[in-house]
Amino acid sequence: MFTRPLFLAKERVKQVAGTLCSAAFTDMHCICCGAPCREMPVCPSCVSHHLRTFAPPGRGRCSVCGRPLLGERGTCTSCRSAPVLRSTDSVFPLHTYRLWKKELLHAWKMGRDRRLSPLFADMIADALALLPAGKLPVVPVPPRPGKLFREGWDQIEDLCTFLSFRYGYRVLRLLRRRSTEQQKRKNRAERLDGCGIPPYGPSPLLLRLSAGGKVPEELVLLDDVITTGATAECCASVLRRCGVRKVHVVSLFIVD
């Protein structure tokens, strides 16, 4: 079992090795400003000014889904006309999923550029520190069955590893995913369709905690991007049915 100093040392070695390889074989430019950068697809200046700077919860955001408000007050038009999120107490997406930020997320998820994992974990930690409830347990949205075996990694698990070892957050894997179909292959109507077996259910750990009356009263559900809100709603409803009183959602991006 890794200790925190050993984990951080190993991650630092990986980062240095990746930087040296990048410097030797590639000539990268920042996808935001175009400046030369070798360590990651985005330069330190853009990280500081555009990624680790975001509006805090509740300020200029929809009170339901957390999207930035454009002319509206309190609640966005979508959540007033066709609300999806009914089981969440707050939703805090850091950024909107657009322009060069789409490229950044794609490089991490599809391009498997794991050099971005520490950066994204730092961003999530910044967001968690802004929540008024304090240091709550973190529950990751689980990957598709077999994904870790087939691909060797899962991006949300990467974030949780850093949150646990670097920042000391308690990570509870309280959910399991039943469906093997990728959400991105579904259209909006299919994602919001409540028919059939729900794609997420309680994990054995959640069932044991629920049976013993030891389920945390309040926690944070962690995902990388919110598209329609169907995943967050399904996961939050499972947690609430098993005894969780308050579910806060934090994500890196939201589709606006």
Side-chain angles (χ1 to χ4, degrees):
M1 183 175 182
F2 289 128
T3 61
R4 182 181 295 184
L6 179 59
F7 166 77
L8 296 178
K10 284 179 174 291
E11 291 302 320
R12 183 56 183 164
V13 169
K14 291 179 183 178
Q15 291 176 27
V16 171
T19 300
L20 292 176
C21 291
S22 177
F25 299 107
T26 58
D27 183 18
M28 296 176 58
H29 289 79
C30 176
I31 63 174
C32 177
C33 68
C37 59
R38 296 186 182 277
E39 294 188 4
M40 286 191 297
V42 59
C43 69
S45 177
C46 290
V47 167
S48 176
H49 290 91
H50 301 298
L51 290 179
R52 299 195 69 173
T53 301
F54 40 80
R59 186 177 302 175
R61 294 176 177 270
C62 173
S63 60
V64 177
C65 70
R67 285 183 176 89
L69 294 175
L70 300 174
E72 306 110 327
R73 290 186 179 182
T75 308
C76 70
T77 303
S78 296
C79 290
R80 288 200 305 269
S81 60
V84 175
L85 296 164
R86 302 176 184 274
S87 303
T88 57
D89 291 274
S90 68
V91 181
F92 185 15
L94 276 59
H95 300 283
T96 52
Y97 183 63
R98 58 170 65 173
L99 303 176
W100 61 273
K101 293 174 183 176
K102 294 178 65 174
E103 297 180 44
L104 195 64
L105 186 65
H106 187 274
W108 183 51
K109 293 184 64 174
M110 308 307 171
R112 302 183 184 183
D113 192 344
R114 297 181 71 172
R115 295 172 301 171
L116 292 167
S117 294
L119 168 61
F120 286 152
D122 291 344
M123 292 164 54
I124 291 294
D126 291 344
L128 293 175
L130 296 176
L131 296 181
K135 207 166 189 176
L136 299 174
V138 175
V139 176
V141 171
R144 300 185 309 278
K147 178 181 179 182
L148 289 173
F149 177 78
R150 292 190 305 270
E151 302 181 12
W153 83 297
D154 174 66
Q155 61 271 11
I156 306 301
E157 283 294 327
D158 256 20
L159 295 183
C160 288
T161 300
F162 281 96
L163 290 174
S164 175
F165 284 96
R166 179 176 287 181
Y167 293 99
Y169 278 92
R170 183 186 180 198
V171 177
L172 298 175
R173 291 165 180 82
L174 301 182
L175 300 167
R176 66 182 181 92
R177 185 162 179 174
R178 296 169 172 148
S179 171
T180 59
E181 185 177 1
Q182 297 185 41
Q183 286 288 83
K184 67 179 181 180
R185 298 184 185 276
K186 300 180 181 180
N187 58 35
R188 180 179 176 85
E190 291 171 333
R191 294 186 186 200
L192 298 178
D193 184 9
C195 301
I197 300 175
Y200 298 92
S203 71
L205 174 60
L206 178 55
L207 293 176
R208 290 197 303 270
L209 292 177
S210 180
K214 297 181 179 180
V215 177
E217 291 191 358
E218 194 169 358
L219 47 74
V220 174
L221 179 68
L222 177 62
D223 204 357
D224 53 358
V225 59
I226 296 173
T227 305
T228 62
T231 293
E233 172 59 24
C234 181
C235 291
S237 64
V238 170
L239 294 169
R240 279 187 172 276
R241 287 197 301 270
C242 290
V244 179
R245 292 180 57 190
K246 291 186 177 181
V247 179
H248 306 280
V249 181
V250 172
S251 71
L252 290 167
F253 301 99
I254 189 169
V255 177
D256 62 351

